[in-house]
Amino acid sequence: MTTSVDAQGKVEGNTLRVKGGLFLGSLRTDLEKRNFYNDIVRTEYNQEWQNNQGLSLINDWGFDYFQSINAGILSNLFVGLHLNRFGRGYEWNSFYPTGLGIKEADYRLLYSDINFGVTLSPTSNFRILPKYVLRSISQTMEGSYLGLGAPAYLGQDTKNTTGTSGLLGVGFEFDLNDRATLFADFLLFGPFLLNSTGSYSSEQFRVSNAGASFNYANGGYTFNSEKLSFGASIVVVPKLRLFLSFEREYMNAKAQSPIALSFDGNQFSTLGTLMEFVSATAEHRIEVSGLKFGATYDLNL
């Protein structure tokens, strides 16, 4: 997934590099595992969510601005903004002792990265780009459930998370010739300087021929990121590059000190409340992996 490599090719002078791409790959949210905990209370077993594969359009849209320095091996200072958007329509089934649950959810993951860094050029065709990344993420999930059996039920589930964190990363570039460049990019450590903060909320309401139930949780939300990317870019016309890369990224996330409540009819459910708390506070991963294809265009300033 995918903070982009900050240059993916040599820049000349003071340059604004505009970037955009398409992402084709898989996305698994931490909310899938959290949903699993909630349903155990109802002796309901969820299958894995389907449709995690897909194409995400206008992914990693943004820019990097490079200020020429040319002080020894320090060639540039840079700052950049990158926006990523992933959407999936998940489907899955669940099984309970006397019935089948048919479930679906609309899911969106948005995250933005603000990058600050420098370009080090120990040789004319090799560059190192250490950077500091401010990342903000948000997730939304709206689920609808239908139970066919005893009890039969209709349900709705809404989950939202937000988070902000400071991360350290580094990129590497090697020019094969004047047109082609190999690159790799890593997020190595975080939170750094800016501690991870955010919010988590979950509401699930279900009506059945046996009554109604309601689950609720609200609290803080934290995450850290690990990322690997490598690929190649090529100049097709002056200032315009095409790039192709493999991206793999994990964001490990959990809620902090949430308020959790569960009601079965008008009765407070101790077990349901405990599982709602466990659902929120267990650490799970947002996982993204796949191929990214895109283009960059340089504007000399």
Side-chain angles (χ1 to χ4, degrees):
M1 193 165 150
T2 99
T3 300
S4 64
V5 175
D6 292 284
Q8 298 176 346
K10 185 180 294 184
V11 295
E12 301 294 340
N14 299 331
T15 300
L16 181 69
R17 176 161 286 177
V18 182
K19 184 178 304 183
L22 309 176
F23 177 83
L24 177 63
S26 65
L27 169 61
R28 292 189 178 277
T29 169
D30 64 317
L31 303 182
E32 178 177 351
K33 295 296 185 183
R34 303 189 197 287
N35 186 281
F36 178 85
Y37 285 114
N38 293 336
D39 286 338
I40 289 178
V41 178
R42 301 184 179 92
T43 63
E44 196 168 350
Y45 180 80
N46 285 327
Q47 291 184 312
E48 288 189 0
W49 293 12
Q50 304 300 311
N51 302 333
N52 66 319
Q53 298 280 341
L55 177 68
S56 297
L57 304 175
I58 317 179
N59 191 265
D60 190 20
W61 176 87
F63 68 88
D64 292 301
Y65 173 72
F66 296 87
Q67 177 69 42
S68 179
I69 300 297
N70 293 324
I73 66 170
L74 177 60
S75 56
N76 298 101
L77 302 177
F78 65 81
V79 60
L81 170 66
H82 296 272
L83 307 176
N84 295 268
R85 179 182 186 275
F86 300 87
R88 294 291 186 271
Y90 290 114
E91 299 175 356
W92 70 100
N93 290 334
S94 62
F95 301 95
Y96 52 106
T98 54
L100 169 69
I102 299 174
K103 302 182 178 182
E104 61 182 24
D106 289 326
Y107 171 83
R108 296 291 182 271
L109 168 65
L110 306 174
Y111 70 90
S112 61
D113 292 337
I114 300 176
N115 304 322
F116 305 90
V118 299
T119 304
L120 306 177
S121 302
T123 66
S124 61
N125 65 342
F126 178 63
R127 293 171 296 283
I128 305 170
L129 298 92
K131 60 184 177 179
Y132 180 66
V133 180
L134 292 177
R135 168 167 291 184
S136 295
I137 70 168
S138 68
Q139 295 184 96
T140 61
M141 191 201 82
E142 296 182 351
S144 59
Y145 308 148
L146 171 64
L148 305 175
Y153 64 79
L154 291 173
Q156 290 187 327
D157 187 6
T158 301
K159 289 182 171 63
N160 294 281
T161 74
T162 65
T164 302
S165 187
L167 310 167
L168 289 179
V170 63
F172 300 94
E173 298 180 0
F174 179 75
D175 297 329
L176 296 176
N177 51 47
D178 291 339
R179 297 181 59 208
T181 299
L182 301 178
F183 59 83
D185 190 36
F186 304 91
L187 285 182
L188 302 173
F189 180 74
F192 182 74
L193 295 183
L194 178 65
N195 290 330
S196 178
T197 60
S199 64
Y200 172 91
S201 66
S202 174
E203 293 185 6
Q204 189 179 97
F205 183 73
R206 185 174 295 200
V207 178
S208 73
N209 51 14
S213 63
F214 177 70
N215 292 341
Y216 172 83
N218 188 284
Y221 190 73
T222 66
F223 75 95
N224 59 74
S225 294
E226 306 167 14
K227 183 258 182 93
L228 163 67
S229 171
F230 58 88
S233 69
I234 188 167
V235 178
V236 289
V237 297
K239 300 184 179 182
L240 176 65
R241 287 179 176 267
L242 299 181
F243 67 86
L244 177 66
S245 62
F246 170 77
E247 311 273 340
R248 187 185 72 186
E249 187 157 1
Y250 302 137
M251 286 185 276
N252 302 301
K254 62 180 180 180
Q256 283 189 327
S257 304
I259 298 171
L261 296 169
S262 179
F263 293 91
D264 191 359
N266 59 359
Q267 300 294 316
F268 177 76
S269 172
T270 303
L271 179 58
T273 297
L274 173 62
M275 294 309 292
E276 193 69 38
F277 183 85
V278 171
S279 170
T281 55
E283 182 170 286
H284 293 296
R285 281 180 169 179
I286 304 168
E287 302 181 12
V288 181
S289 64
L291 296 175
K292 183 174 291 182
F293 174 76
T296 68
Y297 188 79
D298 291 350
L299 300 171
N300 296 117
L301 303 179

